[in-house]
Amino acid sequence: MKSLVIVESPTKTKTIKKYLPDGYIVDSSMGHIRDLPSSAKEIPAKYKKESWSNLGINVDDRFDPLYVIPSSKKKVVTRLKKLLKDADELILATDEDREGEAISWHLLEILKPKVPVKRMVFREITKEAVLNALENTRDIDMNLVHAQETRRILDRLAGYTVSPLLWKKISPGLSAGRVQSVAVEFLVERERERMKFKSATYYDLKAQLHKERDKDKFDADLTHLNGKRLASGKDFDENTGKLKKPDSVVLLDEAKAKDLVDDLKEANWSVINVDVKTQKRNPSPPFITSTLQQEANRKFGFSARDTMSVAQKLYEKGFITYMRTDSTQLSGQAIGAARDAVTEEYGEEYLFERVRNYSKKGKSAQEAHEAIRPSGSRFVKPDKAGLRDREFKLYDLIWKRTIATQMAEAELEFTNVTIRAANNGTDADFRASGKKILFPGFFRAYVEGSDDPEAALENQENFLPAMNEGDATALDDLNFVSHETKPPARFTEATLVKELEKRGVGRPSTYASIISTIQDRGYAKSEGKMLIPTFTAFAVSSLLEKHFPDLVNSDFTSALEDKLDAVAAGTQDPVKYLDDYYKGENGLKAKVDTQEDKIDPQEAKLLDLPLDGLEGIKVAVGRFGPYARMEKNGEDVTTSLPNDMDPSDITKEKLEELIKISEEEDKPIGEDPKTGDPIFLLSGRYGPYVQRGEVTEENKKPKRVSLLKGMEPKDVDLDLALQLLELPRALGEHPEDGKVVKAGVGRYGPFVVHDGKFKSIPKSDSVLDIELDRAVELLKQKSNSRRGSNEIKDLGKHPETDKPIKVMTGRYGPYIKHGKKNISLPKDETPEDFTMDKAVELIKEKGK
């Protein structure tokens, strides 16, 4: 008997094959084999005249979706149909969640099998789990299918209804999304808080002390002055920079702090209180999708998308259980394996006295009801798993977090000592804090936010000498310290995931795609770990807040998610739900129809930035990016804002300088003495630049050079402009072969080049001043790889071809290396942020 088993991934195919008996053929659907049409050319001819065809959903007939097989999947469907002809049964083994259930249903609809069909599900790919699933097959769960289908339709309705409105009112190519728009709103709201923030300065004192007749020194901070608490950051109003309750605290300025230091140097110092407390700490629950994304971002800087991509590979290779889950529960098998691992690795004393389980499920619990953990009944140790790079890091993280759940509590001792400095009627109370780990317990395996538990143990401890009330202490040093209140921190991927989960917006399995989408669509950019909203994000959020508040309301979006969960449970009619959402009296279509005429495009493009001093200057977004506009002498003067400028970077001075350059663009700053061409200082989307000559029919692209990093337009005179326009400049002939050495500026900064070999110019040198000898010295330095190519990032192996993919940089810029094939990166991509998903897409697009 022949059985055809279909999974959704080629990697999963390889792993599952190992555990199935002879007679089982395993193949992959490569994800979904059909979907709503992505473009007009995918719409079948017989539907093109239908009013709803571009939407892909017949909103007048029970929201019936129009599914099509994309051209990229036609070969897959043909192959699967051919395999099915020789099979005696069809086993659908896609993931056990809504998405996986829908993939199986689509396969059933397209393949139309004439043989028995079984649905096989497992949450880990081990021999035991696969064979058990084979013995316990079931039918397709249509409630799960309806939940996935309803989400897909809902997202299509939101995107295709509101996005065209944004194109008309703000700029072409913009998009709105049911969850995406709320995520962008979070970023914009936080940025507004930062822009409104008024900083405040306050001072305190730090003392270094020791017990008399004891050499051990310790630090103490001033907390109270004459019985009144010293002001700290929490006492200041973020919007005014002033104290919320000025009478309840003591505020030290620099002069008072300095005087107090002088006064207390003559004081008597003694212990007035010692408070010792012990505390037990329990380990965090095992990972769910969202906490894994957060911790991988904190510890390794992985994006949510990267984390899910790596976790998917670990699951498909059989190392971890299914990685899309909201449940913190561990199975009995997992608890047993974790407890065995604790005993083997750390000994009986580190094993918790009883089984510890975490049965709480998130409000949004998905269908795979177990936490993310190492697979099997015996966990493979990370150093024995044969994994490398990101896969090793993530598996190691999951392994440690899982076994920590069964480890003993950590026991800590906290000591707070109050020391009073008294002199001439001044009583100043200082606090010294100590922390001691009495028993490390689970800290030995896992400390949240730390890569190295052993190092973290040392960093956590802070020892104080033994002290008792009445002990005299001696002053070694005393200084005042200045502090400035900080604005609310920007969101990182980790904190945005946490916020989305807390508000019930989206579901953990969707967070990676949400965060990727808002960056890919130009609503946010990543700087370090921070997510910074763009000018476009401000414009879109403002329009939606004013005209479609539900679309950016987290409570409304969370309620929609609850309805989707009800669809999955079979307690909510999906058609009624969609009808209310889209066609109801207050439905999306009615709102768009009534609001469209009320939106003035000129007003929609204007940004209401909470910044002081911008009176008379308006900032807006247009077809070619953000710009500033002001009226001067009865005329409007506009200037493009540089691409690297963020909304929070705006000041009146910066805008006035850019407008001044724009205003004077017709006036050259001088003339090139060699050619007689006028030299201009101009401003564009990529910032200020200098230009030789005017744009004419004969000279459509006059030479232009951007100002170097750190240069300000006000500092550019004719001499500096001419130096910039000489780049790249010849430095002379190389002493070894007589070939010319040049210095210039490229995409990655200043460089020197000789015979095709490039070397970056360090910050200590200037591209305008560097001489031949120094350039030759730089060129002699060893390159990290042959032919001037350097590896930026190893993405791992292609999921289909199994060939390695690396992000490289070379003579002609960044590219990806797929096996022996090289493909240049698109100009708008940052090599360091390039992901496996994007690489696979690019390879497919280029046919390599």
Side-chain angles (χ1 to χ4, degrees):
M1 179 172 170
K2 274 190 178 181
S3 300
L4 173 61
V5 180
I6 302 179
V7 296
E8 65 279 83
S9 152
T11 309
K12 194 173 175 183
T13 302
K14 290 180 183 177
T15 312
I16 198 175
K17 269 181 184 175
K18 297 187 294 186
Y19 304 128
L20 290 172
D22 292 340
Y24 285 84
I25 308 298
V26 187
D27 210 321
S28 162
S29 68
M30 303 290 292
H32 278 278
I33 57 165
R34 66 175 188 171
D35 195 2
L36 300 175
S38 61
S39 63
K41 69 179 182 182
E42 285 192 349
I43 299 170
K46 66 177 180 178
Y47 295 109
K48 282 189 183 290
K49 291 183 180 178
E50 299 289 346
S51 59
W52 50 265
S53 63
N54 285 335
L55 188 59
I57 300 160
N58 188 346
V59 295
D60 298 319
D61 184 10
R62 297 180 57 81
F63 292 87
D64 188 33
L66 172 60
Y67 288 121
V68 296
I69 301 172
S71 56
S72 61
K73 291 299 175 75
K74 287 180 179 174
K75 286 183 180 177
V76 176
V77 171
T78 301
R79 186 182 73 242
L80 294 176
K81 283 183 174 180
K82 186 177 178 183
L83 289 170
L84 186 58
K85 282 181 181 177
D86 298 326
D88 299 306
E89 68 173 355
L90 173 63
I91 299 175
L92 301 168
T94 53
D95 292 337
E96 189 190 13
D97 60 8
R98 299 172 194 178
E99 207 70 31
E101 208 73 17
I103 291 172
S104 281
W105 176 72
H106 283 297
L107 284 165
L108 201 60
E109 292 286 297
I110 291 296
L111 298 179
K112 300 188 184 331
K114 295 176 182 175
V115 294
V117 178
K118 297 175 182 176
R119 176 80 170 102
M120 168 182 169
V121 293
F122 40 81
R123 298 184 187 113
E124 57 183 338
I125 307 178
T126 61
K127 185 173 184 178
E128 182 182 359
V130 169
L131 294 179
N132 183 58
L134 202 56
E135 290 295 318
N136 295 280
T137 56
R138 60 167 173 80
D139 294 329
I140 287 176
D141 186 334
M142 288 309 297
N143 286 332
L144 298 186
V145 174
H146 290 149
Q148 187 277 339
E149 185 174 64
T150 305
R151 178 189 290 279
R152 184 74 184 94
I153 294 171
L154 196 67
D155 290 342
R156 173 61 68 99
L157 292 172
Y160 274 45
T161 305
V162 181
S163 297
L165 190 67
L166 299 179
W167 305 343
K168 295 177 193 175
K169 305 298 182 180
I170 298 178
S171 182
L174 296 181
S175 69
R178 187 179 55 86
V179 178
Q180 164 197 318
S181 296
V182 180
V184 172
E185 176 76 3
F186 288 167
L187 298 184
V188 169
E189 269 301 301
R190 181 62 57 84
E191 200 71 4
R192 285 174 181 153
E193 290 172 16
R194 289 174 57 85
M195 293 162 97
K196 288 188 286 189
F197 178 81
K198 297 289 187 296
S199 66
T201 303
Y202 61 97
Y203 288 77
D204 61 15
L205 273 58
K206 185 178 282 291
Q208 189 179 72
L209 305 160
H210 68 271
K211 277 177 63 180
E212 289 192 355
R213 297 181 296 280
D214 190 330
K215 293 181 180 179
D216 289 339
K217 295 179 179 180
F218 60 92
D219 292 331
D221 299 308
L222 178 64
T223 60
H224 291 75
L225 192 61
N226 294 325
K228 211 169 190 180
R229 185 171 62 81
L230 210 65
S232 63
K234 65 184 180 182
D235 296 305
F236 292 89
D237 187 287
E238 294 183 343
N239 296 319
T240 64
K242 295 179 180 179
L243 286 171
K244 298 173 188 173
K245 298 178 180 178
D247 295 333
S248 64
V249 292
V250 177
L251 176 62
L252 294 181
D253 58 21
E254 185 174 2
K256 288 177 184 175
K258 188 175 181 182
D259 290 344
L260 189 58
V261 167
D262 293 338
D263 186 29
L264 295 182
K265 281 182 177 177
E266 306 301 322
N268 293 315
W269 297 70
S270 62
V271 177
I272 64 167
N273 185 57
V274 178
D275 181 31
V276 181
K277 291 179 179 175
T278 59
Q279 189 181 101
K280 289 188 175 181
R281 295 263 179 91
N282 285 306
S284 299
F287 282 126
I288 60 175
T289 305
S290 58
T291 52
L292 179 64
Q293 290 172 3
Q294 292 170 51
E295 190 73 340
N297 183 258
R298 277 197 296 265
K299 286 192 173 186
F300 311 133
F302 289 2
S303 69
R305 181 161 57 182
D306 286 346
T307 298
M308 294 310 290
S309 173
V310 176
Q312 180 88 32
K313 287 176 194 156
L314 290 173
Y315 164 67
E316 290 172 351
K317 289 178 179 179
F319 285 104
I320 64 171
T321 53
Y322 194 54
M323 66 289 159
R324 291 188 178 91
T325 175
D326 293 18
S327 173
T328 55
Q329 188 169 337
L330 288 172
S331 66
Q333 180 195 64
I335 290 171
R339 293 179 72 81
D340 288 345
V342 172
T343 307
E344 290 172 17
E345 195 71 16
Y346 302 108
E348 289 282 348
E349 64 177 322
Y350 281 91
L351 189 66
F352 192 50
E353 59 192 18
R354 62 183 182 275
V355 166
R356 188 188 281 118
N357 208 340
Y358 303 81
S359 57
K360 182 188 173 190
K361 284 183 190 172
K363 163 187 179 182
S364 52
Q366 294 286 303
E367 291 69 35
H369 301 304
E370 191 178 2
I372 303 168
R373 62 159 178 97
S375 59
S377 55
R378 185 173 181 82
F379 297 163
V380 178
K381 282 185 65 175
D383 58 359
K384 304 289 185 187
L387 297 168
R388 295 179 54 206
D389 304 324
R390 296 190 304 173
E391 289 183 9
F392 172 82
K393 284 183 176 181
L394 201 65
Y395 179 70
D396 184 60
L397 189 70
I398 294 165
W399 185 87
K400 285 175 177 173
R401 177 93 161 211
T402 306
I403 70 162
T405 65
Q406 301 307 311
M407 292 180 72
E409 300 160 319
E411 191 171 353
L412 301 97
E413 180 182 272
F414 295 92
T415 304
N416 286 311
V417 179
T418 305
I419 298 152
R420 178 165 290 170
N423 185 38
N424 295 328
T426 299
D427 289 341
D429 292 348
F430 287 74
R431 175 176 289 176
S433 298
K435 180 179 178 183
K436 189 189 296 182
I437 296 175
L438 301 177
F439 180 67
F442 71 90
F443 282 169
R444 282 290 307 278
Y446 186 85
V447 180
E448 198 162 5
S450 171
D451 288 340
D452 184 348
E454 294 295 342
L457 291 179
E458 294 175 15
N459 294 337
Q460 282 198 8
E461 294 197 293
N462 179 35
F463 295 103
L464 288 177
M467 286 183 271
N468 296 300
E469 190 174 325
D471 284 351
T473 58
L475 179 67
D476 293 304
D477 196 16
L478 182 63
N479 293 293
F480 61 85
V481 182
S482 168
H483 302 277
E484 197 169 79
T485 55
K486 302 292 183 190
R490 284 183 171 120
F491 283 106
T492 63
E493 288 205 14
T495 56
L496 182 57
V497 165
K498 190 173 184 178
E499 189 71 10
L500 289 167
E501 184 179 40
K502 184 177 87 172
R503 305 275 197 101
V505 175
R507 288 298 179 253
S509 59
T510 66
Y511 293 156
S513 62
I514 292 166
I515 293 172
S516 296
T517 298
I518 64 177
Q519 292 179 79
D520 294 343
R521 301 275 169 85
Y523 291 118
K525 69 177 188 179
S526 178
E527 195 171 280
K529 287 188 177 181
M530 297 181 299
L531 292 171
I532 304 173
T534 61
F535 290 96
T536 304
F538 273 79
V540 170
S541 283
S542 293
L543 184 149
L544 296 178
E545 287 164 1
K546 187 174 179 180
H547 298 280
F548 306 99
D550 284 348
L551 279 180
V552 287
N553 183 300
S554 60
D555 291 338
F556 179 80
T557 307
S558 176
L560 292 183
E561 294 290 353
D562 292 341
K563 293 282 183 70
L564 285 172
D565 292 340
V567 173
T571 58
Q572 168 71 53
D573 178 1
V575 175
K576 184 180 184 310
Y577 168 43
L578 290 168
D579 202 66
D580 290 343
Y581 173 80
Y582 186 69
K583 296 168 71 176
E585 188 178 340
N586 291 311
L588 183 62
K589 189 175 186 306
K591 287 176 185 173
V592 171
D593 290 344
T594 57
Q595 292 295 315
E596 184 166 357
D597 291 339
K598 297 178 183 179
I599 303 172
D600 179 351
Q602 297 310 311
E603 281 187 19
K605 292 175 183 179
L606 289 175
L607 306 186
D608 182 18
L609 301 176
L611 293 167
D612 294 333
L614 295 186
E615 297 81 9
I617 304 178
K618 294 181 178 178
V619 179
V621 294
R623 191 165 185 169
F624 302 106
Y627 63 92
R629 183 178 78 222
M630 72 178 294
E631 190 177 300
K632 214 167 185 183
N633 301 322
E635 292 185 2
D636 270 355
V637 182
T638 62
T639 181
S640 295
L641 299 184
N643 280 356
D644 60 355
M645 180 180 271
D646 300 322
S648 59
D649 292 336
I650 286 179
T651 62
K652 185 177 183 182
E653 293 71 30
K654 284 183 181 178
L655 293 183
E656 285 179 340
E657 186 175 8
L658 290 170
I659 287 170
K660 184 180 177 184
I661 294 171
S662 179
E663 196 179 13
E664 296 178 351
E665 282 185 346
D666 292 336
K667 304 172 189 174
I669 60 173
E671 194 176 272
D672 188 327
K674 294 179 184 176
T675 65
D677 290 325
I679 305 297
F680 297 95
L681 174 60
L682 306 172
S683 180
R685 289 178 65 194
Y686 301 100
Y689 61 95
V690 291
Q691 175 179 302
R692 180 190 286 124
E694 297 183 72
V695 178
T696 64
E697 277 299 316
E698 296 76 28
N699 186 25
K700 291 183 179 178
K701 291 187 178 180
K703 181 158 186 182
R704 294 168 176 169
V705 179
S706 294
L707 302 197
L708 301 181
K709 196 171 183 180
M711 283 184 179
E712 295 291 337
K714 64 180 186 295
D715 301 326
V716 178
D717 56 17
L718 178 62
D719 183 54
L720 182 55
L722 290 171
Q723 287 186 66
L724 290 169
L725 288 162
E726 284 301 310
L727 297 175
R729 63 190 183 92
L731 305 180
E733 296 178 353
H734 196 288
E736 292 179 9
D737 60 12
K739 292 181 179 178
V740 175
V741 178
K742 292 182 179 181
V745 179
R747 186 175 177 185
Y748 301 107
F751 63 83
V752 289
V753 58
H754 161 251
D755 194 24
K757 180 181 179 182
F758 289 75
K759 268 292 178 184
S760 293
I761 297 175
K763 291 179 182 177
S764 54
D765 294 291
S766 167
V767 69
L768 300 178
D769 301 326
I770 195 167
E771 295 182 352
L772 179 63
D773 291 348
R774 173 62 174 152
V776 171
E777 181 187 335
L778 290 174
L779 289 161
K780 282 181 181 176
Q781 294 174 6
K782 284 187 179 179
S783 182
N784 291 336
S785 68
R786 294 175 295 173
R787 299 179 186 173
S789 291
N790 295 292
E791 181 181 316
I792 297 174
K793 194 175 182 183
D794 187 344
L795 298 179
K797 292 185 177 180
H798 192 292
E800 296 173 37
T801 67
D802 212 32
K803 292 178 182 176
I805 302 177
K806 295 182 179 182
V807 183
M808 311 287 290
T809 182
R811 179 178 177 183
Y812 301 107
Y815 62 95
I816 57 168
K817 189 173 187 66
H818 173 224
K820 295 182 179 179
K821 304 272 179 76
N822 298 338
I823 306 172
S824 295
L825 255 62
K827 287 184 179 179
D828 58 347
E829 291 289 355
T830 305
E832 291 77 12
D833 298 334
F834 208 66
T835 63
M836 174 63 85
D837 289 346
K838 288 184 177 180
V840 170
E841 192 177 324
L842 185 60
I843 290 163
K844 182 179 174 184
E845 181 187 318
K846 300 295 182 183
K848 295 187 177 184

